[in-house]
Amino acid sequence: MPEVKLHDGSTIEIEVHGAGPTVLLPVNPRPAEGPKADEMRKWGMDPALGRSLIEGLGDAFQVAAFDYEGHLMATPKADTLTPDAIAADLLAVADAVGADRFAYYGYSWLALSGLQLAIRTDRLSALVMGGFPPLSGPYDGMLKVTAATHELAAAAAHAPQDRQEPVEQPGDGQTAGEYDWDTAEVTISEPQARQFVTLYEALRGFDDRAAQPLIGCPRLCFVGSADEISYGERWGDVHVSLAGPIINRRAELEALGWDVHVLDGLDHTQAMQPAHVLPVLRPWLLARIGR
């Protein structure tokens, strides 16, 4: 199992499956078990999400899977999680598996990470963004949400032990659109929260329209038509529209070279499940980079 050193000197393991053109998947290749798996099923999530994606692609591609988000939660990059650092990490993963050219699929903030990668390298053979719009991305809204999350996490860290409350992590949008953010608890540490503030601070003022000519590979974006997330009062009453920019600017996206898929009726959590992703992702990759 290859292991790669990331920008801060920490290391992450990579699972490599199959043969063929390389596809980088920043997913947990190991299925969740026990109470965690039960909780995921309650929210309509596949406890073996990463494994299911690997198995759905591994017969036609060399899949390099690595739990980047899990690594960040275990080893936070509180002051260094910038777009440049993320792109360097992803390129280091590609180097570790010997892929000079590779496709990348990411969902939610990992999709915006793919966009940042694409404008920094010519090594991408294909880019797939799920659950985050390539145009009119909600960068300002996510900065407000992650900043509020950081404030809550910092307050919880300084509270007396018998009064500490867990803090939810909204930054990755891994919850259903109807989730009640007014009663949500905060379950993440101050450094874990701060790294996402660092990311969105670095993206303040990012012009995703001006970035489009820098993308030199085939590109696909998809989103659930109900992917609209309203965060509660403690998060600044922010509404993050992920579906709207793709649906409303579909013609412009297609004119810029994007293939666009809208998954009817699905919210953020539903649209990331392998049962919905693979019927879109697999045939598109086969058509664009399949042997």
Side-chain angles (χ1 to χ4, degrees):
M1 185 179 300
E3 191 173 84
V4 62
K5 182 178 289 188
L6 302 181
H7 73 270
D8 65 336
S10 62
T11 58
I12 187 172
E13 291 184 343
I14 311 165
E15 284 196 14
V16 181
H17 299 264
T22 300
V23 179
L24 263 58
L25 290 184
V27 297
N28 187 350
R30 299 172 183 170
E33 298 177 344
K36 183 176 181 181
D38 293 338
E39 182 70 13
M40 292 178 71
R41 292 189 188 95
K42 185 177 77 172
W43 286 100
M45 299 181 72
D46 182 355
L49 186 150
R51 178 62 55 180
S52 297
L53 291 175
I54 293 167
E55 292 176 350
L57 298 174
D59 65 320
F61 303 97
Q62 174 179 264
V63 179
F66 55 106
D67 188 8
Y68 192 56
E69 184 172 5
H71 174 84
L72 294 179
M73 301 312 282
T75 313
K77 328 297 185 195
D79 299 311
T80 64
L81 193 69
T82 64
D84 282 336
I86 292 173
D89 288 345
L90 298 177
L91 289 172
V93 170
D95 290 342
V97 299
D100 181 58
R101 299 277 292 171
F102 59 94
Y104 175 89
Y105 162 59
Y107 194 87
S108 197
W109 75 269
L110 291 165
L112 79 82
S113 298
L115 178 60
Q116 295 300 313
L117 173 66
I119 64 177
R120 287 168 167 80
T121 184
D122 60 0
R123 293 172 58 184
L124 278 183
S125 59
L127 169 65
V128 182
M129 294 179 63
F132 199 94
L135 280 178
S136 299
Y139 299 100
D140 290 342
M142 289 310 304
L143 176 57
K144 292 176 183 176
V145 170
T146 51
T149 304
H150 177 252
E151 290 179 5
L152 291 168
H158 289 95
Q161 288 295 317
D162 60 352
R163 295 181 59 190
Q164 285 191 8
E165 297 181 356
V167 182
E168 191 65 41
Q169 157 62 351
D172 55 12
Q174 300 284 311
T175 51
E178 68 274 10
Y179 190 78
D180 186 359
W181 288 101
D182 289 321
T183 61
E185 296 180 329
V186 183
T187 58
I188 116 181
S189 70
E190 187 275 336
Q192 289 171 332
R194 182 153 42 103
Q195 64 187 340
F196 290 103
V197 177
T198 296
L199 173 59
Y200 286 105
E201 281 281 7
L203 289 167
R204 188 196 294 268
F206 173 64
D207 187 343
D208 50 18
R209 180 62 178 81
Q212 296 300 316
L214 301 177
I215 306 170
C217 62
R219 66 216 71 165
L220 163 71
C221 65
F222 69 87
V223 71
S225 66
D227 198 343
E228 306 285 334
I229 304 175
S230 293
Y231 294 97
E233 182 178 355
R234 290 190 295 165
W235 282 268
D237 288 319
V238 174
H239 179 80
V240 173
S241 178
L242 298 166
I246 293 178
I247 294 171
N248 297 332
R249 303 185 72 173
R250 180 168 189 161
E252 184 178 0
L253 282 165
E254 291 175 341
L256 288 167
W258 290 88
D259 293 317
V260 179
H261 283 263
V262 178
L263 302 174
D264 189 42
L266 302 187
D267 65 19
H268 197 71
T269 302
Q270 294 164 339
M272 71 184 292
Q273 302 311 307
H276 300 299
V277 172
L278 285 170
V280 175
L281 178 62
R282 178 184 167 87
W284 187 86
L285 287 174
L286 285 170
R288 297 302 182 276
I289 65 169
R291 292 187 299 189

